[in-house]
Amino acid sequence: SAAARRPWRLFGAMCLLRLPRITQPLEKEEEEMAALMEQIELEKSLYSDHEMRKLEEEERLKRRKESLYDEDEAHGKTVIMAQDLEEKWEQKFLRFKAAPRITDADKSNDRTSLNRKLDSNLMLLVKQKIGNQELWLLPQVEWQPGETLRSTAERAMATFLGDHIQAKVLGNAPYGIYKYKFPRAIRTEDNMGAKVFFFKAFLQSSDLSQAKLKADYLWVTKKELGDYLKSEYLKKVNRFLLD
Amino acid sequence: DALLGCHRSYRSRPTHGIGKFKYLLPNEAPKKRKEKVQMKEISAGTEYQYGDVNIQMTSYDLCLVEHFAQYVHRLCNRLSIRVNESYAMPTKTNEVLFLEERGSKMQLDAVLTTHQRVVQVRGLSSTFAPILLEIIQSNQPEGVHLLVKQHTEDDFKSRLKSRPELEELLAQMS
């Protein structure tokens, strides 16, 4: 009966994820396995072109020193030797500097920055006022009749982060649901409780300079969620989070 | 010697043709050379299913790409998603030349090969597709570019080679 008003109020919440930028460090067994496999491969492999060339040139040098055998072989490519090439490549490699993996150590656990744990997922948590309590939640906004739940979630994201967010929502289906009943004081016939539908979106670019964040916000990993969310809410949220 | 007695089934013996079985098998029509594959998408209401979806992985590193393609294929098998085909596109070779203009013009060459593997999947339901995408995205190795798109005729045609002689002859005939 669509005519009868349902007693539940609907909310759409958006879980904004920033995908990891670096791979996680290997476990001990994985490292040992990788080392073993490399050794096996090295022993099984054959010489490459560059190595063959290097061996030939070493032999030529030896022969030159021993028996002055300079007739035909000096016409070969004596301009660039394989050894020189190798040295050049080594120098180039030493000049290259990789970016640091641990930037959060610099930021000393500043949870509002996006440059934190580069090897795990980061989620957006916002402080919202529900009833008379200020709670840490995934950004949520009430559903207006006539719009899809996905657009509600996108609106929730837009209200907290501004319009120009490059986030991609993959599907129209929600990932999880959390329902709770209002305390008896506020409960009426029409307003028994609320149902919150969770959607997931992925941050495409890590540039949030245009975002105008109005409330307090945090970017946290899955393990740190427990510090901020309530247990029931946390249970339902953890169900759809991959790690 | 009874051991050397040969009981071959001659045509006069009643046991002639005792081992034949090919007449029992169903008849297979002779295979045509060119296959035309075109599948339609089913899109209806809540049961939204994608038609053929191509998951394309490109990278410079061959081992990584192959292993990742294997991983995706096995993942689909485990999740009972039907995999139509999983093929490789031809590799593209790029030569990188450095022109150092400091006195002697040296050209350092580097040869980069780009490899591409495609896993074609059918029958993804719309509720499951985002989950699968997320799993694949989060398990991407470094240096591998991922592209998921729907299969079109152009994709199919890009695998085939064009035959210039045949086309010339056809043009001459018509």
Side-chain angles (χ1 to χ4, degrees):
Chain A
S1 50
R5 251 195 79 189
R6 290 190 207 131
W8 298 89
R9 287 170 68 191
L10 300 177
F11 288 85
M14 180 62 91
C15 173
L16 194 60
L17 278 180
R18 188 222 61 181
L19 288 169
R21 299 231 229 126
I22 308 178
T23 50
Q24 294 176 343
L26 298 173
E27 311 244 334
K28 200 182 76 168
E29 290 95 358
E30 286 179 358
E31 281 210 29
E32 288 177 14
M33 185 68 185
L36 184 68
M37 293 297 289
E38 261 201 59
Q39 205 189 2
I40 294 179
E41 268 192 40
L42 188 69
E43 288 173 10
K44 269 194 185 175
S45 68
L46 307 165
Y47 284 128
S48 69
D49 286 340
H50 172 77
E51 287 184 344
M52 297 285 289
R53 198 174 138 189
K54 206 171 133 185
L55 288 170
E56 279 173 22
E57 282 173 5
E58 275 180 21
E59 275 198 35
R60 255 190 242 163
L61 276 179
K62 254 199 233 168
R63 268 188 263 158
R64 259 207 224 170
K65 280 181 196 170
E66 286 169 14
S67 52
L68 299 172
Y69 202 41
D70 252 350
E71 303 149 10
D72 297 322
E73 293 161 43
H75 295 297
K77 298 172 206 165
T78 43
V79 184
I80 311 173
M81 303 257 296
Q83 188 71 35
D84 301 333
L85 277 176
E86 258 197 45
E87 282 168 15
K88 224 177 284 172
W89 294 335
E90 275 272 349
Q91 277 176 7
K92 237 190 180 176
F93 183 60
L94 288 170
R95 266 185 269 162
F96 171 75
K97 229 181 157 191
R101 289 190 77 136
I102 314 175
T103 52
D104 59 341
D106 307 335
K107 309 243 172 175
S108 61
N109 220 7
D110 174 23
R111 292 188 174 184
T112 53
S113 82
L114 258 186
N115 273 339
R116 270 188 78 219
K117 307 245 171 181
L118 290 175
D119 60 353
S120 46
N121 288 334
L122 282 186
M123 261 159 296
L124 181 68
L125 274 188
V126 182
K127 210 166 196 183
Q128 279 186 296
K129 196 162 181 187
I130 300 209
N132 30 14
Q133 283 178 324
E134 282 241 351
L135 298 168
W136 282 108
L137 297 170
L138 301 176
Q140 75 188 38
V141 146
E142 184 150 6
W143 174 74
Q144 314 278 352
E147 65 172 2
T148 60
L149 272 174
R150 174 178 163 170
S151 45
T152 320
E154 283 170 355
R155 203 163 44 97
M157 204 167 55
T159 42
F160 284 99
L161 289 178
D163 281 328
H164 304 281
I165 299 290
Q166 289 159 0
K168 202 166 194 176
V169 188
L170 285 179
N172 286 329
Y175 277 78
I177 170 174
Y178 172 65
K179 65 181 191 193
Y180 62 96
K181 292 190 178 165
F182 291 140
R184 282 174 202 275
I186 323 180
R187 225 187 273 185
T188 54
E189 280 274 334
D190 283 339
N191 248 344
M192 276 196 55
K195 292 188 188 176
V196 188
F197 292 90
F198 297 104
F199 286 84
K200 249 195 208 178
F202 295 102
L203 254 190
Q204 302 290 86
S205 76
S206 56
D207 177 31
L208 284 184
S209 50
Q210 285 177 339
K212 304 159 277 187
L213 283 109
K214 298 168 195 166
D216 298 329
Y217 66 98
L218 284 184
W219 292 96
V220 286
T221 60
K222 189 175 170 187
K223 293 180 203 158
E224 295 157 6
L225 272 183
D227 300 336
Y228 297 93
L229 298 180
K230 292 198 161 167
S231 62
E232 281 293 323
Y233 195 79
L234 179 70
K235 256 199 249 172
K236 300 284 173 159
V237 167
N238 266 342
R239 279 186 72 177
F240 65 83
L241 289 181
L242 288 177
D243 202 14
Chain B
D1 309 358
L3 291 173
L4 286 177
C6 180
H7 295 286
R8 270 187 60 213
S9 319
Y10 287 101
R11 279 176 250 175
S12 50
R13 261 191 199 264
T15 54
H16 171 66
I18 189 167
K20 278 194 197 171
F21 64 91
K22 204 153 185 212
Y23 66 97
L24 289 171
L25 296 176
N27 279 340
E28 283 184 15
K31 216 179 148 191
K32 267 174 68 179
R33 256 197 243 160
K34 192 171 177 195
E35 318 153 359
K36 300 211 172 166
V37 183
Q38 285 269 349
M39 284 314 296
K40 296 175 288 193
E41 311 172 5
I42 317 166
S43 56
T46 49
E47 278 255 292
Y48 192 88
Q49 275 200 348
Y50 293 97
D52 285 335
V53 171
N54 275 1
I55 307 175
Q56 294 176 339
M57 297 154 261
T58 40
S59 171
Y60 294 121
D61 190 0
L62 182 71
C63 303
L64 267 189
V65 154
E66 275 191 352
H67 282 287
F68 190 49
Q70 267 189 14
Y71 166 75
V72 166
H73 201 307
R74 284 190 181 181
L75 192 76
C76 295
N77 283 349
R78 280 210 65 156
L79 302 168
S80 43
I81 304 174
R82 197 186 130 176
V83 175
N84 276 356
E85 298 174 283
S86 117
Y87 54 86
M89 300 291 276
T91 63
K92 301 180 195 166
T93 331
N94 288 332
E95 275 212 1
V96 180
L97 304 163
F98 288 93
L99 294 168
E100 284 186 50
E101 291 163 75
R102 263 200 221 169
S104 55
K105 263 195 187 174
M106 297 224 291
Q107 282 189 346
L108 296 170
D109 299 341
V111 176
L112 294 172
T113 51
T114 311
H115 306 268
Q116 191 178 44
R117 298 278 180 276
V118 181
V119 177
Q120 206 184 94
V121 157
R122 189 194 292 196
L124 261 185
S125 67
S126 76
T127 44
F128 188 65
I131 305 177
L132 179 74
L133 275 180
E134 202 191 325
I135 297 177
I136 300 182
Q137 247 187 330
S138 48
N139 282 321
Q140 254 181 306
E142 296 162 313
V144 172
H145 302 283
L146 187 68
L147 174 67
V148 179
K149 52 194 277 247
Q150 293 191 332
H151 190 57
T152 52
E153 228 194 293
D154 298 327
D155 288 327
F156 179 67
K157 292 231 167 104
S158 66
R159 288 179 73 189
L160 307 170
K161 261 185 161 177
S162 64
R163 287 204 226 151
E165 315 105 5
L166 192 71
E167 284 167 15
E168 266 181 56
L169 289 173
L170 281 173
Q172 276 179 10
M173 271 173 47
S174 59

